[in-house]
Structures are given as C-alpha cells and as structure tokens.
Amino acid sequence: LAKLLKNNCDLPENGRTHFQVPWGKHNPISFRTKHVCREDEMRGIYLPQTQVLPVVMIKDPYSWMGSICRHKYQTNWPHRPDHCPNLLPDKIDVELFSDRDVSPGKPVPVHVRFGEDESSRGVFPSMAHEWGEWNQQYYSYPGFPRVMIRYEDILFHPKIVVEKVCSCIGGKLKEGDFIMFSDSAKGNGGVHQESSGFMEAFLRYTDVNSRFKGYHYQDLKFAKNSLDNEIMQYFGYKHPSDELIEETPPHLE
C-alpha cells in the first residue's frame, strides 16, 4: 500500500507517506508512543507518533495463517511443513514437540517477538487468537483516528482503494496511468525472501481451494470456534461451511 500511494498519490507539501508506522508495522497498537521501529532508529528518524495516521491492512484469517506458514517473520510456534496451520496438534506434532507445551487436545501456542527485549514478546493461545487480538486492538481502540483496509480489496481493486486513502490523507490521485508493480512490494531479502509478487498473490486468492490448504478437520473446527467473529463479520470474512469442514481430512492417528 505504501508503494502504491507513493507511486499514485499527490500529497500536500507538508504531507508524506511512510513505509510503516513509527512504532513498527508488525507491533500491536500498545507500542504507540512507547517504541521506535529499528529501521527509523538506525536512520535517526523520530516522527511525532501522535501526528501519524495509521493505515492498517487486515487479511482474511484463514489465508493469513497460511501465509504465516510460508513466511513466519517474528512468529514462532512448533510446527512442521506437512501440517500447517496446526491450530490443534496431531499425533506427530505431540510426539515431536512435547517439550514445547504441545499436548493432545490443546491449541498450539504462538510466541511473537515484537521487540528485542523480553518485555516486547507476546504469547497467544493459537494463531487464530493472534489474528483476533492484534486486529481487535486497532479495530476497537478509541484513542485516535486510524484506517483499516482489507488486503483483498487492495489486491482486486487497487485504484479504488488508493484513491480513497489518498483523499483521506489530503491528497489526490496523480493524473495519467495508475502505476502497479509486479514484484513483491516487500522486497526479496531477509524475512521477505520469496514473498508473493502481485500476480502470484492474485492467482492464489482467485483459487478458492487455496484458502484452506494445509488445514485438517480439527484445525478448521477450532478456527471457526476461536476466531474473533465481531471482526470477521465487520470485514465480511466468512468461515468455511460445515459441509467443507466435514469433507476435510482429519488428523492422522
């Protein structure tokens, strides 16, 4: 989104877009005014955080959990490639990760390193809880204005979304062709290595079967019961149907 705005939005003289909020794009809203992201600190950039309008991108939780399996960033939890997302452990998970608080019938806990010190670590009961709690903070926090945008709308309707966001921050869409990009907007180094480019992401999201890839029957049942339904309904995200869940293979015993 930041790259699309930079390419297509003319801002007033005193306005500009920033790649991420100054407290860190992956950090919860509680970090605002208490933390400076490492990239800004290294460059000596200290923006007045109370004068920043956060534009937050939310993603369908079932797809998001699948993307975390491909690129886990600072999220850590015991899992293996052939069972991910593993919201509930199967027999193999229990055998492999019993020393990491994984036991039958209990959700697999998730640890997230938001900052460098121990006080900046977060622990969630599961990936589903991480999605709900992180987004709920931005969704319900009453302290200041913010904008939340569905990733899917940026993917399928980029010009409409960028025009609305540009207008919201006091700018106007540039004249001429709308400038897209084909490679990953996140870059291809570090944790973003092999991140999806625009066309790859477009093809993945137009494949209805890819949304639930990797889940077992027990995982889908758990997700349906554990995801934040208030946010799901507000942003128009749907759970899998009972029929699809019943058709999904269960854990191997």
Side-chain angles (χ1 to χ4, degrees):
L1 177 58
K3 193 170 183 178
L4 287 171
L5 285 169
K6 182 178 180 180
N7 288 341
N8 299 285
C9 179
D10 270 331
L11 290 171
E13 186 175 342
N14 61 344
R16 64 174 177 143
T17 59
H18 200 53
F19 176 70
Q20 61 178 320
V21 290
W23 53 92
K25 64 177 182 176
H26 293 138
N27 292 338
I29 203 171
S30 57
F31 276 51
R32 181 177 178 264
T33 73
K34 302 179 180 68
H35 178 80
V36 176
C37 67
R38 184 173 58 178
E39 293 83 355
D40 283 2
E41 193 169 34
M42 290 174 62
R43 292 183 294 171
I45 298 175
Y46 298 95
L47 299 176
Q49 297 193 6
T50 57
Q51 297 179 34
V52 172
L53 174 68
V55 181
V56 183
M57 198 174 298
I58 186 171
K59 182 183 278 191
D60 162 62
Y62 291 93
S63 301
W64 176 81
M65 288 187 277
S67 69
I68 292 298
C69 289
R70 295 188 297 274
H71 310 285
K72 66 187 185 72
Y73 301 102
Q74 301 302 322
T75 300
N76 289 283
W77 76 104
H79 65 285
R80 60 186 207 275
D82 58 336
H83 181 204
C84 194
N86 58 336
L87 302 178
L88 286 177
D90 61 12
K91 182 179 179 180
I92 301 175
D93 288 333
V94 173
E95 291 175 352
L96 290 175
F97 308 119
S98 60
D99 60 337
R100 296 179 63 184
D101 197 26
V102 174
S103 57
K106 288 178 55 180
V108 177
V110 173
H111 296 253
V112 185
R113 191 180 72 181
F114 294 118
E116 297 301 321
D117 57 272
E118 289 297 326
S119 63
S120 300
R121 311 295 168 94
V123 181
F124 302 91
S126 73
M127 294 174 72
H129 290 85
E130 180 188 359
W131 181 89
E133 291 180 28
W134 196 97
N135 286 296
Q136 181 64 242
Q137 285 192 28
Y138 272 101
Y139 173 75
S140 61
Y141 194 83
F144 58 91
R146 64 271 181 214
V147 177
M148 295 188 75
I149 296 170
R150 298 192 308 181
Y151 170 81
E152 297 79 15
D153 290 329
I154 279 286
L155 188 61
F156 292 107
H157 310 288
K159 185 175 181 180
I160 294 174
V161 174
V162 168
E163 185 173 16
K164 288 184 178 295
V165 175
C166 182
S167 176
C168 179
I169 59 179
K172 63 178 182 178
L173 211 60
K174 293 179 180 179
E175 296 182 0
D177 294 336
F178 186 81
I179 302 174
M180 290 292 296
F181 46 86
S182 59
D183 58 337
S184 172
K186 300 175 182 179
N188 293 309
V191 295
H192 299 299
Q193 189 172 1
E194 297 181 357
S195 293
S196 298
F198 172 79
M199 186 53 65
E200 182 183 347
F202 186 89
L203 292 174
R204 178 178 290 123
Y205 271 79
T206 52
D207 179 3
V208 294
N209 296 318
S210 69
R211 188 178 178 217
F212 306 112
K213 184 179 180 180
Y215 291 90
H216 293 175
Y217 166 84
Q218 289 88 340
D219 302 315
L220 292 179
K221 290 280 286 187
F222 180 86
K224 191 170 184 178
N225 291 328
S226 302
L227 285 167
D228 189 314
N229 279 318
E230 180 183 16
I231 299 180
M232 292 280 291
Q233 292 174 11
Y234 185 85
F235 288 97
Y237 292 130
K238 305 294 184 184
H239 291 290
S241 65
D242 291 337
E243 292 77 13
L244 188 148
I245 294 176
E246 292 298 327
E247 292 171 359
T248 301
H251 290 338
L252 296 175
E253 300 297 340

